[in-house]
Amino acid sequence: MALDFKPIDSLYEGLVALIPAMFANATPVLAKGRRPIDCGLKFIDGRRLLGDGKTWEGLIAGLAAGAIVGVLLAMILGEPQAAIIGVLSSVGALVGDIIASFIKRRAGLERGAPAPVLDQLNFYIGAITILYIAGFTITLTIFIALAIISGIAHITANIVAYKLKLKNVPW
Ligand code: CTP
Ligand code: MG
């Protein structure tokens, strides 16, 4: 059965779009990156543009992971569009995470400081926004369902990463 992603109006289609973004979001912490994307630059407020928590290594590892998962899903489902959607949602997830760090620094929050909701849903909002711009709109019901799944998955993944000593804080 061919999936029709225009619009994304079933949980199945939604998950095909979301899963690559989840991998893109969860992988950067494994990369142990050391090259900050902002190159150490400061904004006009004297604070870091993004901070040391957003690195090139993390970005590239996240993009690669998301793209690979998207392509694998496309192959497993026999649905070429899933690859395009996976790459788009992965890019969106990482851009969303970077924008969230920019916002956190402007709010005076140090790297790693918790920002409830923003920390959990930045990747999801980024992914859905890029898909939306590319013409893959989503129904409100599926949007809310995926937001809940994203929040739970993010919280669970970060607790696991903390227990495995991959992260210093459980958020
Ligand atoms: N990470 C990375 N590159 C990215 C995103 C994340 O290297 N593009 C790594 C960093 O080691 C980061 C960790 O993954 O510390 C956890 O990511 P996140 O919680 O998003 O970053 P924070 O350290 O909390 O930084 P911020 O306050 O800016 O969100
Ligand atoms: Mg964090």
Side-chain angles (χ1 to χ4, degrees), residues 23-108:
F23 276 87
N25 186 244
T27 303
V29 69
L30 306 173
K32 302 256 170 256
R34 295 182 54 225
R35 285 168 244 253
I37 293 170
D38 68 6
C39 303
L41 290 177
K42 291 183 171 144
F43 197 60
I44 42 171
D45 54 12
R47 296 179 183 275
R48 285 282 296 277
L49 215 51
L50 303 173
D52 288 331
K54 300 296 115 113
T55 69
W56 286 110
E57 292 92 334
L59 178 63
I60 291 162
L63 282 177
I68 289 167
V69 170
V71 169
L72 284 176
L73 271 178
M75 287 163 64
I76 294 165
L77 301 174
E79 184 57 65
Q81 276 215 99
I84 298 164
I85 288 184
V87 170
L88 284 171
S89 71
S90 299
V91 172
L94 290 153
V95 171
D97 184 46
I98 287 170
I99 292 173
S101 287
F102 181 81
I103 294 170
K104 284 172 77 174
R105 297 302 88 81
R106 303 291 73 74

Side-chain angles (χ1 to χ4, degrees), residues 104 112 119 167 171:
K104 284 172 77 174
D119 279 337
K167 286 194 73 163
W171 53 77

